[in-house]
Amino acid sequence: MSASALFLFRHTIKFHSIRQFHVTARALNERFYTKKHEWVQLINSKNEVRIGISEFAQNALGDVVYCELPAIGTKLKREETFATLESVKAVADCFMPVDGEISKVNENLKTQADLINKSSYSDGWLVQAIVDDKNKNDMGKILMNEAKYKEFLEKNKDAVDH
Amino acid sequence: MKSILRGGNRVLISKSTNVYTNLALERYLAENIKHQPKTRLLLLWRNQPCVVVGRYQNPFAESDIKYLSEKQIDLARRYSGGGTCYHDLGNLNVTIVTTREDYNRKKNLHWIVNTLNEAFNLTLHVTDRDDIFLDTFKVTGSASRLERLYAYHHFTLLINSYLNDLRRSLKSEDQMKITSKATSSVRSSVLNLADRNNSITYEKTIALLIEKFFQWNNEKTTTSCDYIDPLLYYEHIKDFENELKSQKFLYQVTPPFVYTIEHEKQPIEISVSNGIITDIKGNDSIIDKKNFLGQLFHGVYHNIQKLNKT
């Protein structure tokens, strides 16, 4: 852009930058959900996501007493089992929301499995994984965003206990 | 071969009384049957004397391993969660398999309770923990496994089991010595249904359940009920069966734990992870660590017992 254009459009440019930052920040924090109640969230610009189970899922499971997590480096496809949880009600598998390679697991869960119940979206996260660009961009298309997930829960309210 | 895997409301009764075979069969059927929504598969089975621990339990904390070995009582670990139980021919195993969406433990248990109460004039009730109690005595414990497309809920029913053998097998001297995050059983006093109504037998119970199962699922008559001989499906279930029998699955998937013994009046703490002794804390001069570090815990268990209290 020429100097005069920059001067004339100085407020627009500022506004545009802020808006862009705002959109990026929201994209980073946005959670997407699967029909099996896992959530996935992009956490940095290095294509790393965090995965856990939703508030609804932890409530249906009951108190989690044990958590089996994958080895770092494991490559998994969407819908493959990445973790197994034992609650007072059942042994239940958790399924990958997206293809990825496990980069980190939540070590705290080894001694405090109930973090999954107490803080399912924050301290109770299960694993982190590296995803490729295509999968990252498809997340919004294949999975449900917050609003759609809420709708989904409403519609399935009469679903039997887990 | 194909017809055994058809969906719909069905009852299958296993001809085997081998716990590894039955657990393998259960998993094979659950994974491969084309489950239809709103239908259920009822699997009925029983085993020769054995102790079955839950997926994330510690067998040493839950049973007397030495006693089991002496009496040739099988030790098995199942794929579902929950606590430890003792099976013999007087204990009926019931598995209800459905689609993941139709999974509902309470519905299953209420069906059993209503059916048995009505037929045998009992006062069974379902508890918060999905057990079935007769007054203050436990007759049923539940466990489940939830997979992506299917789920199963299985439970035991004490009909006329040898309760003294049950108590002796589930008594663990090691409970106090073990610290871990493994799931522990919640112990209760138990009772046989036959103790309350001596006309109740295994044969009568399964006949009753088969008849009432189809009614429960809104079918007019007893439609699809078969005896299944797992030997005929050996090729299909052998991988599960071998896994269930393996030392690895029995002992090495136990969650990490610390086993504490007393040797020459000093405490020795043995750390075990993936079944292998990874660390020993205690007075160095007392114990020859070389013999134990890196060894499989269950392999040197006998030697560790000898050290204890000596």
Side-chain angles (χ1 to χ4, degrees):
Chain A
M1 272 178 134
S2 69
S4 49
L6 275 170
F7 175 74
L8 281 171
F9 292 107
R10 63 191 181 282
H11 294 297
T12 319
I13 291 166
K14 250 202 317 209
F15 179 68
H16 182 66
S17 305
I18 291 167
R19 197 176 58 194
Q20 193 169 52
F21 173 77
H22 179 59
V23 165
T24 314
R26 230 187 34 207
L28 273 182
N29 289 330
E30 189 170 8
R31 273 191 302 266
F32 293 102
Y33 299 82
T34 68
K35 289 201 173 133
K36 294 267 180 273
H37 312 287
E38 289 92 12
W39 57 262
V40 60
Q41 181 184 42
L42 191 65
I43 55 168
N44 57 34
S45 52
K46 293 189 230 129
N47 278 10
E48 202 171 3
V49 297
R50 205 168 248 196
I51 302 172
I53 63 169
S54 73
E55 176 65 32
F56 176 84
Q58 72 76 17
N59 191 42
L61 259 184
D63 292 338
V64 179
V65 294
Y66 194 74
C67 182
E68 191 184 357
L69 296 171
I72 292 175
T74 314
K75 290 201 175 85
L76 294 162
K77 295 226 156 282
R78 190 165 76 88
E79 293 187 341
E80 272 195 278
T81 302
F82 70 90
T84 305
L85 305 177
E86 177 166 11
S87 74
V88 292
K89 289 190 178 184
V91 165
D93 286 346
C94 304
F95 310 102
M96 287 291 275
V98 65
D99 296 353
E101 181 180 323
I102 306 292
S103 54
K104 202 169 174 203
V105 300
N106 189 348
E107 297 284 342
N108 290 331
L109 296 180
K110 289 203 172 120
T111 48
Q112 292 176 272
D114 60 356
L115 281 173
I116 297 172
N117 299 108
K118 294 195 190 133
S119 178
S120 40
Y121 295 120
S122 163
D123 296 327
W125 62 273
L126 293 170
V127 299
Q128 281 172 206
I130 309 284
V131 302
D132 66 27
D133 282 323
K134 180 176 187 301
N135 282 302
K136 183 184 71 174
N137 297 328
D138 282 346
M139 272 178 1
K141 292 183 216 147
I142 299 178
L143 304 173
M144 295 178 271
N145 62 18
E146 195 85 39
K148 290 214 175 81
Y149 181 60
K150 274 207 175 74
E151 250 182 71
F152 172 72
L153 288 178
E154 265 303 306
K155 254 192 266 176
N156 292 294
K157 225 179 359 182
D158 302 322
V160 294
D161 96 276
H162 282 67
Chain B
M1 184 58 233
K2 285 256 159 46
S3 68
I4 203 72
L5 297 179
R6 68 189 187 281
N9 292 311
R10 301 175 58 202
V11 178
L12 287 172
I13 306 162
S14 174
K15 281 188 174 173
S16 171
T17 54
N18 176 305
V19 63
Y20 309 111
T21 306
N22 282 326
L23 286 171
L25 177 71
E26 181 189 48
R27 176 134 183 207
Y28 170 70
L29 291 173
E31 283 199 354
N32 292 286
I33 281 185
K34 316 265 180 284
H35 304 290
Q36 290 162 20
K38 309 270 184 272
T39 66
R40 298 179 176 102
L41 165 68
L42 179 71
L43 198 53
L44 299 171
W45 40 296
R46 58 178 179 167
N47 299 315
Q48 294 289 343
C50 61
V51 165
V52 184
V53 302
R55 178 64 180 79
Y56 296 111
Q57 292 203 294
N58 187 327
F60 292 98
E62 300 294 334
S63 63
D64 188 336
I65 300 289
K66 198 152 159 256
Y67 177 76
L68 297 191
S69 163
E70 279 167 20
K71 296 288 176 187
Q72 295 187 312
I73 296 173
D74 286 329
L75 173 70
R77 181 190 297 270
R78 56 179 187 268
Y79 293 113
S80 57
T84 302
C85 50
Y86 172 86
H87 296 177
D88 64 19
L89 296 178
N91 194 349
L92 170 63
N93 280 277
V94 180
T95 306
I96 297 180
V97 192
T98 59
T99 61
R100 180 73 161 81
E101 285 71 35
D102 292 333
Y103 169 71
N104 190 328
R105 290 185 0 163
K106 290 264 186 304
K107 264 198 187 157
N108 297 339
L109 295 171
H110 282 119
W111 170 64
I112 288 280
V113 160
N114 293 337
T115 304
L116 294 174
N117 281 345
E118 203 186 296
F120 296 132
N121 200 25
L122 298 167
T123 54
L124 300 163
H125 64 272
V126 182
T127 67
D128 285 340
R129 294 185 69 247
D130 289 338
D131 295 330
I132 296 179
F133 269 65
L134 186 52
D135 305 332
T136 55
F137 297 101
K138 183 172 177 178
V139 299
T140 287
S142 286
S144 313
R145 185 162 177 103
L146 311 178
E147 292 271 2
R148 197 165 65 85
L149 298 171
Y150 70 86
Y152 62 79
H153 168 210
H154 54 198
F155 49 96
T156 49
L157 193 57
L158 286 172
I159 299 178
N160 50 13
S161 188
Y162 287 108
L163 298 182
N164 284 334
D165 290 5
L166 183 156
R167 291 180 194 112
R168 183 66 188 82
S169 302
L170 299 183
K171 189 172 158 188
S172 169
E173 297 289 326
D174 285 338
Q175 237 191 325
M176 293 291 110
K177 302 193 188 88
I178 293 177
T179 329
S180 97
K181 288 283 170 186
T183 38
S184 33
S185 299
V186 174
R187 285 167 160 76
S188 309
S189 297
V190 291
L191 184 72
N192 281 315
L193 293 183
D195 289 342
R196 199 46 74 84
N197 177 343
N198 57 19
S199 72
I200 302 177
T201 62
Y202 171 78
E203 289 75 17
K204 268 201 189 157
T205 306
I206 60 171
L208 172 72
L209 293 182
I210 294 167
E211 184 199 325
K212 296 293 178 183
F213 177 75
F214 292 101
Q215 268 183 35
W216 182 37
N217 288 290
N218 300 314
E219 306 227 356
K220 292 245 161 34
T221 53
T222 304
T223 51
S224 173
C225 171
D226 298 295
Y227 277 85
I228 178 171
D229 183 351
L231 277 178
L232 296 176
Y233 305 96
Y234 180 67
E235 274 308 307
H236 299 271
I237 69 173
K238 68 176 181 203
D239 287 343
F240 288 138
E241 201 173 318
N242 289 334
E243 178 179 54
L244 289 158
K245 281 186 184 156
S246 69
Q247 298 287 291
K248 183 157 179 249
F249 192 69
L250 283 173
Y251 295 109
Q252 292 182 261
V253 306
T254 302
F257 63 97
V258 176
Y259 188 84
T260 307
I261 58 169
E262 204 185 285
H263 182 66
E264 294 187 7
K265 298 239 170 29
Q266 305 228 15
I268 311 269
E269 287 178 356
I270 302 170
S271 298
V272 183
S273 190
N274 296 321
I276 297 172
I277 297 177
T278 53
D279 191 21
I280 303 178
K281 284 196 180 73
N283 194 321
D284 280 351
S285 62
I286 292 172
I287 180 170
D288 186 2
K289 290 191 182 181
K290 270 204 306 286
N291 286 338
F292 295 97
L293 274 178
Q295 297 296 317
L296 288 170
F297 179 80
H298 68 273
V300 297
Y301 180 67
H302 192 56
N303 297 337
I304 292 172
Q305 294 306 304
K306 279 202 221 141
L307 279 177
N308 189 28
K309 299 261 164 72
T310 54

